[in-house]
Amino acid sequence: QVQLVESGGGLVQAGGSLRLSCAASTRYAMGWFRQAPGKEREFVAAISWTGGNTVYADSVKGRFTISRDNAKNTVFLQMNSLKPEDTAIYSCAARIGQLTSTILGQYNYWGQGTQVTVSS
């Protein structure tokens, strides 16, 4: 049974930073998704099993950085220059295999999510 546990969410002012962590009980390709109130879940960032390949949504490119520490089975999402529109529940997900994906349906396991709120 694969378990994913997110941490690091919270309340921050616009322009601030947060770092999310996802502790995984496995070593797969990983992704971060988010869901704002009244909206569908959307892709944020993904990283390959080795960490050598990353991909980002256009809305976060240049502001967010995904990384991983395979020795600790942990994936991170560093979020800088946060905007109120980044407010959402952020969830990490694991995809069987090594390759990245931006497609929600290609992920096999999900964490419970962590709330990120950005005030203006």
Side-chain angles (χ1 to χ4, degrees):
Q1 181 72 17
V2 174
Q3 292 185 327
L4 305 175
V5 180
E6 301 98 335
S7 61
L11 173 65
V12 64
Q13 288 188 331
S17 298
L18 283 174
R19 188 173 84 153
L20 305 183
S21 299
C22 175
S25 62
T26 187
R27 194 177 295 179
Y28 290 145
M30 300 289 292
W32 286 95
F33 290 77
R34 67 186 182 186
Q35 186 167 21
K39 295 186 177 181
E40 294 186 351
R41 186 176 290 183
E42 65 175 4
F43 169 76
V44 176
I47 189 167
S48 62
W49 177 74
T50 63
N53 185 43
T54 58
V55 61
Y56 297 91
D58 288 343
S59 59
V60 306
K61 201 172 293 183
R63 301 187 297 121
F64 290 11
T65 302
I66 188 170
S67 62
R68 67 190 302 159
D69 182 344
N70 282 345
K72 299 181 179 180
N73 280 356
T74 302
V75 176
F76 305 98
L77 185 68
Q78 178 66 44
M79 305 186 294
N80 299 329
S81 302
L82 282 161
K83 305 174 182 180
E85 51 263 43
D86 294 319
T87 295
I89 296 174
Y90 284 70
S91 300
C92 68
R95 177 172 188 260
I96 295 174
Q98 301 183 20
L99 302 179
T100 58
S101 174
T102 64
I103 301 172
L104 186 151
Q106 292 186 352
Y107 285 82
N108 306 96
Y109 305 100
W110 292 84
Q112 82 287 351
T114 185
Q115 177 70 47
V116 171
T117 303
V118 184
S119 63
S120 56

